[in-house]
Amino acid sequence: MNPKRHFEEGLEMFAETANAASTTANARRNKLAINVLKTSVTVAVMLIGLAAVMLAYLIYPGTPSKSKVMVFEGFVKLPRKGPLTRLDYLTLSDQSLFVTSESSGALFRIAFDASSVKESTVWEMPGAGAAHGVALLPDKNVAFITRSETNTVDVFDPKSLHQLASIPVADDPDAILYIPSTNLIYVAHGDPNMATLIDPQRLTTVGTIQLSGKPEFSAVDSESGLLFQNVKDTNEVAAIDVGKRSVDGQWPLAPCVEPSGMAIDSEKRRLFTVCSGNAKLVVFDLERHRVITWLGVGGAPDSVAFDPGLHRIYTAGKAGEMTVIQQDGPDNYRVLDEIHTHYGAHTLTVDPVSHRVFVAYASLLAHPRIAVFSATQ
């Protein structure tokens, strides 16, 4: 045997084996790369498809889900200002509905047509600074609107929508109410933890009230004359004597987390507040100053309205659900329905005369709108 030849043959076999292993490894790597590429493309297509579906959902509001206790009458379309419109407070006065736009600063007034919701007339008052709450004075042709970016309360004619004056106030003005018993305008300021009082005749600030935390929504108890103010960051409600410029008392709303919208049943001495942090509605006893019961409602609730004639409570939240609750007694409540509206439709109000419910829809690349519902008896 030739040792040299044997060594050369061994080298050749080793080289062939190494080449074969390398070819196999390259093939496996190529196959793996192709599989990874295919998976990446599939995931990308799925994500693009999901994004397209989500975008279509956000742009096109669709029809609310059907309900046995509510009838959807249609939409009132509002003028579009920019790609995104976020509506805020809704305020009723006689046959008119005032709607503020947080994104554009506009104020809309809607006069509803008796025969068809779609034929309703819409007027617009443009404005600078995010618009929030509106306060109307009974039998007087003057109204007030809060603007958080300019830190003003603007005075306007509710019929012509012409601005009459502008009152400088503290940072972050939001909720606003007219207090008939004191003839004062109450303005809640979120970030400074305070409230401003305005004389509606002199159109000037006449006092402030310091609060223990961030105020959210407020409502007046017609029986006691006290104003009740949600304090969001402490999960409490405060009773305010506006005439004395002082807090009369403050109580916990547990299990409520981040109380937001509020409504009051003065006759049955109950306060209703929704909790944006944990999707609940709590019922608070105005006499015993404690929570009586609570119910689960649609996600991220922001507003609540009470219809005393039908003994119904309505809530709306950013998740796009309107919850309908029946009041069977001061301490007894049950959910009648959960109606799917649209993502971002977080504010509503109710007309206690016609029993219509109005829900404000946010919009993306489409006209903002108000959904109109009527209650079945």
Side-chain angles (χ1 to χ4, degrees):
M1 176 180 292
N2 188 333
K4 181 179 178 181
R5 178 62 183 165
H6 182 71
F7 177 73
E8 290 176 349
E9 289 177 352
L11 286 177
E12 290 174 359
M13 290 178 62
F14 176 79
E16 290 175 358
T17 302
N19 287 336
S22 176
T23 301
T24 302
N26 287 336
R28 288 177 179 173
R29 280 195 296 270
N30 291 338
K31 185 176 181 180
L32 179 62
I34 291 172
N35 289 337
V36 170
L37 181 61
K38 286 181 177 179
T39 302
S40 299
V41 170
T42 301
V43 171
V45 169
M46 290 176 64
L47 290 175
I48 292 172
L50 181 62
V53 170
M54 290 297 296
L55 184 62
Y57 166 74
L58 291 174
I59 293 174
Y60 180 66
T63 303
S65 61
K66 292 186 177 182
S67 170
K68 294 181 180 179
V69 298
M70 303 294 292
V71 175
F72 174 61
E73 295 187 27
F75 291 115
V76 178
K77 289 186 178 181
L78 305 177
R80 195 180 81 145
K81 300 290 181 182
L84 176 65
T85 302
R86 187 173 185 267
L87 303 176
D88 207 353
Y89 289 82
L90 288 81
T91 307
L92 272 170
S93 175
D94 297 326
Q95 298 301 311
S96 292
L97 176 68
F98 293 87
V99 184
T100 58
S101 172
E102 187 174 350
S103 51
S104 72
L107 170 71
F108 304 104
R109 179 165 69 88
I110 304 171
F112 292 98
D113 188 279
S115 58
S116 173
V117 166
K118 295 180 181 179
E119 300 302 320
S120 300
T121 306
V122 179
W123 292 272
E124 178 183 358
M125 181 181 79
H132 299 290
V134 170
L136 302 162
L137 273 64
D139 304 319
K140 292 188 181 296
N141 204 33
V142 64
F144 300 79
I145 181 171
T146 54
R147 298 190 179 279
S148 60
E149 292 174 353
T150 57
N151 295 326
T152 59
V153 173
D154 289 349
V155 187
F156 67 97
D157 183 324
K159 292 182 179 179
S160 66
L161 296 185
H162 290 157
Q163 183 169 322
L164 305 174
S166 185
I167 306 170
V169 293
D171 290 350
D172 197 22
D174 189 4
I176 183 170
L177 280 176
Y178 172 62
I179 317 297
S181 60
T182 61
N183 192 31
L184 291 172
I185 300 290
Y186 173 94
V187 181
H189 301 266
D191 292 339
N193 299 345
M194 62 173 288
T196 295
L197 302 178
I198 295 174
D199 184 321
Q201 270 71 49
R202 292 188 288 158
L203 303 183
T204 184
T205 58
V206 293
T208 60
I209 301 172
Q210 193 62 44
L211 303 171
S212 64
K214 184 173 184 177
E216 191 65 19
F217 202 83
S218 50
V220 175
D221 173 26
S222 60
E223 185 74 20
S224 66
L226 293 173
L227 180 143
F228 285 84
Q229 173 70 69
N230 275 340
V231 185
K232 187 174 183 178
D233 48 359
T234 63
N235 303 319
E236 294 176 308
V237 62
I240 299 174
D241 188 323
V242 175
K244 295 180 179 178
R245 276 75 160 162
S246 64
V247 176
D248 198 54
Q250 190 158 319
W251 307 277
L253 289 171
C256 184
V257 177
E258 297 183 1
S260 182
M262 181 198 298
I264 290 178
D265 178 1
S266 292
E267 180 184 348
K268 290 187 171 59
R269 315 302 300 138
R270 296 292 180 265
L271 178 149
F272 313 111
T273 184
V274 287
C275 316
S276 60
N278 59 348
K280 293 183 186 296
L281 174 124
V282 300
V283 181
F284 181 82
D285 188 322
L286 291 172
E287 298 298 329
R288 291 179 286 176
H289 304 133
R290 64 183 183 88
V291 171
I292 297 299
T293 188
W294 60 88
L295 302 89
V297 296
D302 189 41
S303 61
V304 58
F306 175 62
D307 184 340
L310 296 181
H311 302 286
R312 282 189 183 174
I313 304 162
Y314 303 94
T315 74
K318 295 176 183 177
E321 296 287 338
M322 179 172 72
T323 305
V324 185
I325 298 169
Q326 186 67 45
Q327 180 192 56
D328 293 321
D331 301 335
N332 297 304
Y333 302 84
R334 56 192 167 94
V335 174
L336 295 180
D337 207 351
E338 287 275 4
I339 301 171
H340 176 72
T341 54
H342 189 63
Y343 181 81
H346 65 108
T347 53
L348 55 69
T349 192
V350 62
D351 181 357
V353 178
S354 67
H355 307 297
R356 276 177 162 176
V357 177
F358 308 96
V359 183
Y361 276 43
S363 67
L364 176 66
L365 304 177
H367 284 274
R369 59 199 65 203
I370 304 298
V372 183
F373 298 85
S374 58
T376 59
Q377 301 296 324

